[in-house]
Amino acid sequence: MIRVLLVDDQMLVRSGIRGLLELTPDIRVIAEAADGAEAAQLIAQTEADVLLLDVRMPHCSGIELLQREQGRLPPTILLTTFDDDNALFEGMRAGARGFLLKDISLERLAEGIRSVAAGGTLFRPALTERTRAAYEKPVNAAPAPDLSTPLTSRETEILALMAAGFNNAEISQALGPSEGTIKNHVSSILAKLGVRDRVRAVLRGLELGHI
């Protein structure tokens, strides 16, 4: 059983998420908190496998809790009601393992919790306006890439951040490797996906289900 600590200042949101997760056979909410300060106390009293943490709360936001308790929190998924690039960036820098919108389906939420509990990451924000605008632009059809060499887990993370509109310097700050290393990863992504620029890489990633 995957034990979840749920932190959100809105009781109705907590009730809704808890009710959804009760429909799964392997995930249960074992404790709830209304803000980061309350969550910090509960963390020491519970043995949660995953922390579902609202980004924006009074007294102590999810980002502030991550920053204060770096290294002492369970694997953390940030929840928000809107696509917030800044929250994603700050959350990743503070150690979040995932980022999801609150209107996500039960299937995707459960999938994300299981992935993070198993040691994975889940950076799949909704398309930002920048990416959405690019998606609406016509692009020349390209032949399907030969993914005999699939994207690595790191390349998949970088592709998700490219979809969120981050440049190489911002991706470097978020993930740790040098900007030059990120540039090399981006070149590898473009080659593997058979495209010539970042916009087409994001579109192909969406088409293939990498994002």
Side-chain angles (χ1 to χ4, degrees), residues 150-160 184-185 188-189 192:
L151 297 182
T152 65
S153 58
R154 175 62 86 184
E155 288 169 347
T156 300
E157 283 184 334
I158 291 172
L159 182 60
N184 291 337
H185 279 305
S188 176
I189 291 168
K192 288 181 179 180

Side-chain angles (χ1 to χ4, degrees), residues 142-208:
D146 176 13
L147 290 183
S148 54
T149 305
L151 297 182
T152 65
S153 58
R154 175 62 86 184
E155 288 169 347
T156 300
E157 283 184 334
I158 291 172
L159 182 60
L161 292 179
M162 289 164 58
F166 291 101
N167 60 35
N168 288 350
E170 291 170 331
I171 295 174
S172 172
Q173 285 186 279
L175 298 183
S178 69
E179 188 173 346
T181 298
I182 297 299
K183 183 178 180 180
N184 291 337
H185 279 305
V186 172
S187 296
S188 176
I189 291 168
L190 298 184
K192 288 181 179 180
L193 295 180
V195 296
R196 64 177 182 269
D197 59 47
R198 297 167 77 98
V199 169
R200 288 174 174 81
V202 169
L203 298 181
R204 184 54 56 83
L206 287 165
E207 177 187 345
L208 297 175

Side-chain angles (χ1 to χ4, degrees), residues 22-34:
E22 286 176 352
L23 299 175
T24 66
D26 58 336
I27 304 172
R28 289 294 178 272
V29 174
I30 61 169
E32 299 177 26

Side-chain angles (χ1 to χ4, degrees), residues 69-104:
E69 302 290 335
Q70 281 195 30
R72 294 188 291 272
L73 298 178
T76 300
I77 298 174
L78 289 173
L79 297 171
T80 185
T81 54
F82 46 86
D83 185 14
D84 188 338
D85 285 353
N86 290 331
L88 171 63
F89 186 47
E90 291 300 318
M92 290 183 67
R93 292 182 64 185
R97 301 298 300 274
F99 183 95
L100 293 172
L101 299 179
K102 290 182 183 179
D103 61 359
I104 197 169

